[in-house]
């Protein structure tokens, strides 16, 4: 059975469990996951028997090409998609929708267009839960994305010049990604120097990368539709003893977190491990986000490796391990790898070394 047919079959199993006759899928990563369609406007109607992709005339050729062999029919809607799709519901009464994702406006449009007697019912995170476990093809795509990301980092470092701004260096990184075959960055590249590194989601600005200080780089690419994610720290000039200590503590937490990954353990327990190491170093209050997240067709996917997350890890889950500690005045350190849960434990996909690079 082809990958897309298998995914549609799994969705139908979930629909049966939720007592749904049909499902409307509008979140583009889910549309892509089920149909192969990568356009920016498309919705999928899945019933017990068939699946139909609705898109607009800009995508006539692309939709037919990308869904070829999947068994998904294509309908080119001349006007809005919602009434075109609702018009095909026929006798389906209980219609699932992505209640965690659909905008209220889209929901209203569907609700208005539904045939008499039909009602919208929550599909919950059924698709996101299926997407947590990656197939071999998906894992291969993530590996490729991760490798390009690491190569782009190495190439950008060779082009580093003191006096560049954070923005200059972020542009260099994203340029290298493209040259190496990435479709685009998976998120806005973070380049944060000195006190800016203490902001976990800093935006690169005009701060000059000059003198002595800690430089945090968080970067990811999309390749073949799949994301990668990595954070590394670099130090300009000799790091102080305080910075070294901070770095070593976060590295110890990161290594312990990676080590804790294996099938059966909960996402929350991996978070406990990294948090425990940072607590030992008096840095638990400086760790202000969760330990990591799944990634795939989106940069942030389930599971979330946060406090008390009860999701049990399974072989095939691609996740990040990224503890950090942010100290006002000293700066922030985060170290992040993309890793894969394997049947026996974990495989670190990110090939970049984790020693503090000194420039
Ligand atoms: Zn990241
Ligand atoms: Zn991340």
């Amino acid at each position: 059975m082809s990958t897309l047919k298998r995914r549609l079959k799994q969705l139908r199993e979930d629909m049966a469990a939720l007592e749904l006759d049909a499902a409307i899928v509008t979140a583009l990563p889910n549309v892509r996951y089920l149909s192969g369609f990568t356009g920016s406007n498309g919705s999928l109607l899945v019933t017990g028997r068939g699946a139909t992709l609705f898109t607009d005339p800009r995508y006539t050729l692309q939709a037919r090409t990308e869904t070829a062999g999947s068994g998904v029919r294509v309908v080119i809607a001349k006007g809005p998609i919602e009434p075109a799709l609702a018009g095909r519901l026929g006798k389906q009464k209980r219609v699932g929708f992505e209640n965690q994702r659909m905008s209220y406006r889209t929901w209203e449009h569907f609700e208005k267009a539904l045939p008499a007697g039909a009602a919208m019912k929550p599909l919950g995170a059924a698709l996101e839960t299926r997407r947590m476990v990656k197939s071999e093809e998906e894992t291969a795509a993530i590996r490729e994305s991760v490798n390009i990301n690491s190569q782009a980092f190495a190439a950008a470092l060779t082009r580093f010049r003191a006096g560049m701004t954070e923005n200059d260096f972020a542009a260099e990184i994203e340029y290298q990604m493209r040259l190496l075959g990435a479709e685009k960055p998976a998120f806005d590249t973070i380049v944060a120097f000195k006190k800016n590194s203490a902001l976990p989601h800093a935006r690169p600005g005009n701060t000059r990368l000059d003198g002595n200080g800690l430089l945090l780089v968080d970067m990811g690419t999309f390749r073949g539709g799949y994301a990668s994610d990595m954070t590394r720290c670099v130090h300009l000039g000799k790091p102080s003893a305080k910075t070294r200590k901070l770095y070593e503590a976060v590295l110890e937490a990161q290594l312990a977190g990676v080590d804790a990954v294996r099938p059966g353990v909960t996402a929350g327990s991996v978070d406990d491990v990294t948090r425990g190491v940072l607590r030992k170093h008096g840095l638990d209050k400086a760790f202000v986000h969760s330990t990591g997240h799944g990634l795939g067709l989106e940069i942030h996917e389930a599971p979330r490796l946060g406090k008390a997350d009860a999701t049990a890890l399974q072989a095939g889950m691609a996740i990040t391990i990224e503890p950090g500690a942010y100290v006002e005045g000293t700066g922030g350190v985060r170290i992040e790898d993309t890793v894969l849960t394997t049947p026996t434990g974990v495989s670190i996909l990110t090939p970049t070394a984790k020693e503090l690079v000194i420039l």
Side-chain angles (χ1 to χ4, degrees):
M1 191 186 291
S2 78
T3 302
L4 297 178
K5 283 183 179 152
R6 192 185 66 244
R7 291 174 181 170
L8 283 167
K9 183 172 169 272
Q10 288 175 336
L11 174 59
R12 289 194 182 98
E13 287 166 15
D14 294 336
M15 283 159 55
L18 294 164
E19 300 183 324
L20 299 172
D21 305 317
I24 299 171
V25 180
T26 56
L28 290 171
N30 286 340
V31 170
R32 178 175 187 161
Y33 179 73
L34 293 168
S35 71
F37 178 63
T38 64
S40 66
N41 184 30
S43 296
L44 201 60
L45 170 62
V46 181
T47 65
R49 271 174 297 161
T52 310
L53 172 72
F54 296 78
T55 182
D56 67 65
R58 291 174 299 166
Y59 292 116
T60 305
L61 185 62
Q62 184 182 330
R64 296 216 163 103
T65 311
E66 289 179 336
T67 59
S70 66
V72 174
R73 281 185 300 272
V74 175
V75 169
I76 306 298
K78 295 276 167 0
I81 281 179
E82 292 88 353
L85 186 152
R88 300 277 179 128
L89 275 169
K91 294 197 169 61
Q92 321 286 346
K93 294 284 179 252
R94 301 173 57 96
V95 183
F97 75 105
E98 297 149 297
N99 53 302
Q100 299 178 358
R101 289 189 177 247
M102 190 181 281
S103 74
Y104 182 66
R105 185 168 176 270
T106 305
W107 180 86
E108 262 189 331
H109 284 168
F110 277 120
E111 182 80 355
K112 268 195 199 121
L114 285 187
M120 305 271 277
K121 303 279 176 193
L123 188 58
L127 283 160
E128 288 73 16
T129 303
R130 294 285 187 182
R131 280 173 49 197
M132 289 196 299
V133 178
K134 271 67 186 177
S135 67
E136 266 176 46
E137 299 105 286
E138 290 183 291
T139 305
I142 291 169
R143 257 180 220 282
E144 211 175 314
S145 182
V146 164
N147 287 336
I148 286 174
N149 198 41
S150 285
Q151 287 165 26
F153 180 60
L157 276 184
T158 67
R159 300 171 71 92
F160 176 85
R161 299 286 176 272
M164 282 178 136
T165 65
E166 291 170 338
N167 256 327
D168 293 339
F169 196 49
E172 183 64 51
I173 286 169
E174 294 183 3
Y175 175 65
Q176 294 299 333
M177 287 176 181
R178 285 269 193 175
L179 285 186
L180 288 159
E183 288 132 18
K184 58 178 177 182
F187 51 88
D188 291 338
T189 303
I190 296 173
V191 173
F193 189 46
K194 288 189 174 170
K195 64 178 188 347
N196 299 342
S197 65
L199 310 167
H201 262 194
R203 235 180 263 138
N206 293 324
T207 303
R208 292 212 174 270
L209 309 178
D210 219 345
N212 186 285
L214 195 60
L215 174 64
L216 183 149
V217 177
D218 189 351
M219 57 190 281
T221 66
F222 272 119
R223 161 78 174 192
Y226 282 82
S228 51
D229 197 357
M230 169 176 85
T231 308
R232 287 295 184 268
C233 291
V234 168
H235 204 279
L236 303 198
K238 195 171 176 284
S240 67
K242 205 171 161 191
T243 301
R244 274 236 176 260
K245 245 183 104 189
L246 179 66
Y247 191 84
E248 293 307 321
V250 174
L251 182 57
E252 186 186 332
Q254 205 270 349
L255 294 171
V258 171
D259 240 20
V261 173
R262 60 183 171 277
V265 305
T266 65
S269 71
V270 177
D271 183 77
D272 283 345
V273 168
T274 61
R275 224 165 276 284
V277 172
L278 290 172
R279 188 175 308 118
K280 191 183 78 184
H281 291 284
L283 289 166
D284 48 322
K285 297 231 163 36
F287 181 22
V288 293
H289 51 79
S290 53
T291 292
H293 51 89
L295 84 182
L297 288 170
E298 292 172 279
I299 182 63
H300 292 126
E301 295 189 358
R304 196 177 78 91
L305 281 79
K307 274 182 196 168
D309 188 312
T311 311
L313 298 183
Q314 295 175 58
M317 283 186 179
I319 55 177
T320 69
I321 302 293
E322 52 176 306
Y326 309 89
V327 182
E328 249 185 83
T330 308
V333 169
R334 176 165 70 253
I335 304 170
E336 173 180 30
D337 284 330
T338 300
V339 310
L340 180 71
T341 314
T342 67
T344 50
V346 63
S347 166
I348 301 175
L349 303 184
T350 306
T352 304
K354 278 184 282 215
E355 287 83 47
L356 183 59
V357 178
I358 301 181
L359 288 178

